[in-house]
Amino acid sequence: MISINNLQKKFGARTVLQDMNLQIPAGQATGIVGPNGSGKTTTIKSLLGLVKPTAGEIYIDGKSIEGEWDYRRNIGYMPQVARYPENMTVGELLSFIKAMRGSRTERDSELLSYFNLESEVDKRMRALSGGMRQKVGAILAMMFDPQILIFDEPTAGLDPKSSVRFKQLVHEEKEQGKTVLLTSHIMSEIEELTDYLIFMVEGRIRYHGPMHELMKRQQEQRLESAVAKMMEETAA
Amino acid sequence: MKALTILQYQWKDLLRGKWIVGYGFIYLLIADAMIRFGGAGPKALLSISNIMLLLIPLVGMIYGALYLYQSREFTELLLAQPIDRPTLFWGLFGGLALPLALAFTAGTLLPILYSGMIITASLRSILLILLLGNVLTLLFTGLGFWFGLRFFEDRVKGLGFALVSWLFLAVLYDGLILLAVFAFGDYPIEKPMLGLALANPIDLARITVLLEFDISALMGYTGAVFNRFFGSAAGITVAAVCLLLWTITPLWRGNRLFLKKDF
């Protein structure tokens, strides 16, 4: 269970999140959509403690995350732009994170072969293409089997084949009852992977509820048209 | 445990960059040359310390700031993991400052050992120089970290400020003091001079070296004042406290910036 109470974030004079209130029950798969700069990534980064809120509280499973760090053990995060230490090889990176968390999971080699990355294990991160880095990010997010999975535009750099495989994997995780948070501009992806939708504009939540209800409300058959219609409404 | 894993990775990374080895090698060459040409006596030690007083602050500050910029990916990766920020901060700092200090110590100590200087020269002087070098490394790396965090999004500014601070503390400061002495030579300015010397960590280290080699007489009456002040227990305590404050303050401020930072 993730609860966000009156969350506010300002970067200097610019307000990115305004008085945000949000409850996401455990096991719910939620898509976050909204125009560029609407605060999706800032929301996610606040959950992770990467961004420090100006005001408000965030609770995960009833505990405030302020000043805490061990709760991140239960969160897998795949960032929008995957940036990793350039000198490390893929294998070193994975074993380093494992050593740091004191984990002996074998899931990483499983995931490496799932994404066809076995032959890249000894390559340095700087030698990898953007898509391959994204895959490494996906492995890092899922290898410790966390209860909460956060994906920030995960398939933006992936080729169609990898994208399908990635979505399959997320689907499996979701079936296992994981809480999934996903931002994307690809509406079909949101439709495929999540059941609930959060629509954000200028740091405020305009809609949060089941996806089919939104489509019913907007009288549209497809999510894309429903969201586009809502964007036009908010712009007007 | 976590901090150790981080340190281990960073040291491996630094060694792979070979940069740190080159840095240690510079001290080896300098110390070797000074001992070869200056004899295994206080003269060589004094020359080594003169170079050290210029080089350590420059490298510490520039590389401290640069290292933070370079480690940005590493920092972002780790912040999404179950680790607290203080551990990460001290891990990053230790990952750079300790190898720098080690490179200096090893590079300087090796020629002193194989030239037999360790027996002929005063052991106290050698230890003092090594200690000062290590303190200065920690101090200026910390200062570089602070600059790096203060101007985290603007590398040119961060590195620029680091470079200008070095120029001011290591080069200009002495010129300004000289100018002050020249201008106010007719007044009793020993006490203000003492204060000015305490305010600059490089000067503080330099005076310590001068006093150790007993050449403060070169500085005339001011030297005598320094000698009397720094030679006393109170003087040594004040100097040590000043160096300590200079080491702690940037690190403390840097740590605070790091804890509040949005990534």
Side-chain angles (χ1 to χ4, degrees):
Chain A
M1 172 87 173
I2 301 168
S3 337
I4 297 178
N5 298 339
N6 304 327
L7 185 70
Q8 191 193 41
K9 178 65 197 174
K10 288 182 183 172
F11 289 111
R14 200 162 53 93
T15 308
V16 179
L17 296 180
Q18 304 189 37
D19 238 7
M20 180 187 230
N21 286 291
L22 184 61
Q23 318 280 334
I24 300 173
Q28 179 178 302
T30 313
I32 307 178
V33 295
N36 299 334
S38 55
K40 303 184 293 285
T41 298
T42 306
T43 309
I44 285 175
K45 285 188 165 180
S46 308
L47 271 176
L48 283 158
L50 285 168
V51 162
K52 304 274 176 186
T54 312
E57 293 111 32
I58 299 172
Y59 294 89
I60 289 181
D61 292 331
K63 271 185 238 153
S64 167
I65 65 163
E66 201 189 331
E68 293 294 322
W69 47 273
D70 208 49
Y71 75 97
R72 284 197 286 266
R73 203 172 280 286
N74 294 320
I75 301 182
Y77 169 55
M78 180 176 170
Q80 195 173 52
V81 187
R83 294 198 298 188
Y84 302 106
E86 305 236 298
N87 276 329
M88 260 185 175
T89 67
V90 176
E92 279 172 345
L93 177 71
L94 296 177
S95 50
F96 167 67
I97 297 291
K98 277 207 285 195
M100 213 209 66
R101 293 173 68 132
S103 158
R104 286 161 190 246
T105 178
E106 305 269 316
R107 188 89 202 280
D108 50 334
S109 35
E110 213 176 286
L111 289 169
L112 276 171
S113 62
Y114 184 84
F115 283 116
N116 283 325
L117 276 179
E118 286 150 314
S119 53
E120 320 287 330
V121 168
D122 293 321
K123 277 197 188 157
R124 297 212 189 288
M125 292 306 294
R126 86 167 123 240
L128 295 190
S129 72
M132 283 181 191
R133 274 183 232 194
Q134 285 286 90
K135 289 188 208 171
V136 173
I139 294 173
L140 276 174
M142 290 190 260
M143 65 192 269
F144 298 105
D145 205 25
Q147 275 310 307
I148 300 173
L149 285 164
I150 301 178
F151 303 106
D152 199 355
E153 295 192 29
T155 58
L158 294 181
D159 61 59
K161 187 185 153 213
S162 313
S163 177
V164 167
R165 283 190 83 81
F166 171 79
K167 282 190 270 192
Q168 244 164 23
L169 197 61
V170 175
H171 203 78
E172 279 166 33
E173 297 280 332
K174 189 187 136 195
E175 294 298 302
Q176 284 174 31
K178 305 277 173 69
T179 310
V180 176
L181 266 180
L182 175 89
T183 79
S184 180
H185 290 298
I186 309 166
M187 289 307 130
S188 61
E189 193 172 294
I190 299 265
E191 228 171 335
E192 228 174 297
L193 292 175
T194 63
D195 313 313
Y196 284 76
L197 193 80
I198 293 170
F199 179 71
M200 287 182 73
V201 180
E202 287 170 1
R204 288 176 198 276
I205 294 178
R206 289 301 166 94
Y207 177 81
H208 177 209
M211 207 178 305
H212 57 86
E213 253 173 47
L214 176 79
M215 289 194 261
K216 211 158 75 188
R217 199 176 84 181
Q218 301 290 75
Q219 293 169 333
E220 291 283 352
Q221 296 296 315
R222 287 166 55 239
L223 180 65
E224 189 157 31
S225 339
V227 169
K229 208 166 163 186
M230 198 153 60
M231 277 190 189
E232 273 166 29
E233 281 169 17
T234 50
Chain B
M1 177 60 213
K2 277 174 193 163
L4 269 182
T5 316
I6 295 174
L7 285 182
Q8 206 184 354
Y9 153 72
Q10 283 171 297
W11 291 343
K12 221 162 86 185
D13 197 48
L14 270 182
L15 275 178
R16 195 147 53 189
K18 295 188 186 65
W19 187 95
I20 195 87
V21 183
Y23 178 65
F25 204 67
I26 290 175
Y27 286 109
L28 190 98
L29 281 180
I30 291 170
D32 184 86
M34 293 305 161
I35 293 169
R36 230 169 260 276
F37 300 119
K43 221 176 180 178
L45 269 182
L46 199 63
S47 309
I48 293 171
S49 62
N50 267 330
I51 293 166
M52 154 191 116
L53 286 173
L54 282 179
L55 204 56
I56 287 181
L58 179 67
V59 171
M61 270 203 283
I62 296 288
Y63 209 58
L66 205 62
Y67 187 74
L68 263 186
Y69 297 141
Q70 280 182 345
S71 313
R72 188 163 181 162
E73 288 89 17
F74 184 67
T75 312
E76 284 179 6
L77 167 74
L78 282 179
L79 280 174
Q81 299 292 328
I83 184 170
D84 55 324
R85 287 199 184 193
T87 304
L88 187 53
F89 178 81
W90 294 112
L92 283 172
F93 178 70
L96 177 66
L98 296 183
L100 280 179
L102 195 73
F104 159 76
T105 310
T108 314
L109 195 60
L110 267 175
I112 290 178
L113 286 179
Y114 66 62
S115 66
M117 191 170 165
I118 190 96
I119 304 162
T120 53
S122 138
L123 190 64
R124 207 184 80 151
S125 307
I126 294 172
L127 287 180
L128 179 80
I129 294 218
L130 291 179
L131 180 72
L132 276 178
N134 279 294
V135 170
L136 285 180
T137 303
L138 296 184
L139 193 160
F140 281 99
T141 312
L143 209 55
F145 257 56
W146 182 74
F147 278 123
L149 281 165
R150 185 80 184 69
F151 304 103
F152 200 63
E153 307 298 332
D154 196 345
R155 296 173 183 217
V156 177
K157 235 183 192 168
L159 288 174
F161 270 107
L163 201 63
V164 167
S165 312
W166 173 78
L167 203 66
F168 179 75
L169 289 177
V171 186
L172 291 181
Y173 200 83
D174 274 4
L176 290 177
I177 286 192
L178 210 65
L179 211 67
V181 172
F182 189 70
F184 305 106
D186 297 337
Y187 303 94
I189 52 167
E190 282 74 24
K191 288 252 167 66
M193 294 293 295
L194 210 62
L196 280 178
L198 285 171
N200 179 349
I202 301 181
D203 264 16
L204 211 54
R206 195 185 337 252
I207 288 165
T208 317
V209 170
L210 292 181
L211 291 170
E212 172 63 23
F213 293 103
D214 216 12
I215 42 178
S216 53
L218 289 179
M219 292 160 70
Y221 180 61
T222 319
V225 173
F226 280 2
N227 210 345
R228 209 170 55 212
F229 177 73
F230 284 109
S232 65
I236 290 169
T237 315
V238 169
V241 166
C242 277
L243 271 180
L244 200 68
L245 276 178
W246 261 104
T247 312
I248 290 171
T249 313
L251 281 172
W252 169 62
R253 301 293 308 172
N255 189 26
R256 271 179 52 126
L257 278 176
F258 190 74
L259 295 190
K260 285 192 199 152
K261 189 138 217 85
D262 294 322
F263 284 92

